[in-house]
Amino acid sequence: MTARAFWTIGPGQGELRAETLPAPGPDQALVRTLASGVSRGTESLVFAGRVPASQYAAMRCPFQAGDFPFPVKYGYSAVGIVEAGPPALIGRRVFCLHPHQDRFLAPAAMLHTVPETVPTRRAVLAANMETALNIAWDAAALPGERVLVIGAGVVGLLAAHLLARIPGVTLTAIDTDPGKARIAAALGLAFATPGEAPAEAELIVHASGSPDGLALALARAGFEARIIEASWFGDRVVPLPLGEAFHSRRLRLISSQVGSIAAPMRGRRSHAERLSLALALLDDARLDALLDGPTPFADLPATMARLAASPGALCHLIAYDPSV
């Protein structure tokens, strides 16, 4: 069987390549892709060739082919139908951390059944929700805390969506783009621009990918506040204003990265359990506000170039099936 997959072949250049799939082996499944999602942060850095050499190993995703910087087959948000493999999975919708490809083989153990209540298009947010869930675990928010989430992209808004559900939490999403107020409102979240950001926050999640956003987090943090750094800057050097009140306020700057289970849950949940929980947490129709598109898979090379040239707040949906 022949499949087509999206490859990044140079800075800002992509193409669809054909590859031959063997018959499924023992404990493997053949998946026909229905939809995939473009993570506009990480995938834009990969598409631009901005993955630092020191992070080549850490940045490899499951089922990646090729090597950084180019050519590389990269992506991790695919939803499809199992066409062959273990009988219990045939005909089931599954999520897989697989690059953009119209058919693929994967071990059955790496396929996660999509809940019946979660539509296919929303299920592509599972990888982003898994990242947000890990951020929430790293944050260890307490009832009644004053919380800021700086950066109202998909991951930031998903993290805000989870943290705002903790009893008594007062949460504000912050972004330089006033247009994101509409998306925040769809999720029931308060919104402010940086100049309006409340002070004396006790917990801040920084997910803007901008040094200015991190500086704002330091400026708005209260005494002994925790700042969860959820941005990934690629090969950029980020200056930090660690003078002024950083030490007297005893601020804590904590990195969060989805490759490892957050410390509070490490040893208690596996990666598979975390992703299954992320899929279950997508059972909320309000989260459709985080999607744009779809555009056809056949147009993905041009679509990726367009998305990289004008980064946005939403996860872009790639449709392989007209029903999506």
Side-chain angles (χ1 to χ4, degrees), residues 169-246:
V169 158
T170 302
L171 185 145
T172 306
I174 310 295
D175 203 277
T176 57
D177 180 2
K180 293 181 182 177
R182 176 185 57 81
I183 305 170
L187 299 179
L189 301 171
F191 178 87
T193 58
E196 304 164 332
E200 299 300 319
E202 293 149 329
L203 170 64
I204 301 176
V205 172
H206 177 238
S208 78
S210 164
D212 290 341
L214 184 51
L216 178 66
L218 293 168
R220 294 295 189 268
F223 182 70
E224 292 192 338
R226 308 178 312 285
I227 300 170
I228 310 300
E229 177 51 87
S231 298
W232 189 64
F233 291 94
D235 58 2
R236 296 174 67 188
V237 176
V238 179
L240 282 179
L242 298 183
E244 300 181 350
F246 177 77

Side-chain angles (χ1 to χ4, degrees), residues 50-78:
R50 291 182 51 204
V51 177
S54 64
Q55 296 301 301
Y56 283 179
M59 277 291 296
R60 287 195 71 86
C61 64
F63 307 106
Q64 175 180 321
D67 296 297
F68 298 119
F70 312 109
V72 63
K73 180 172 75 172
Y74 195 85
Y76 45 78
S77 294

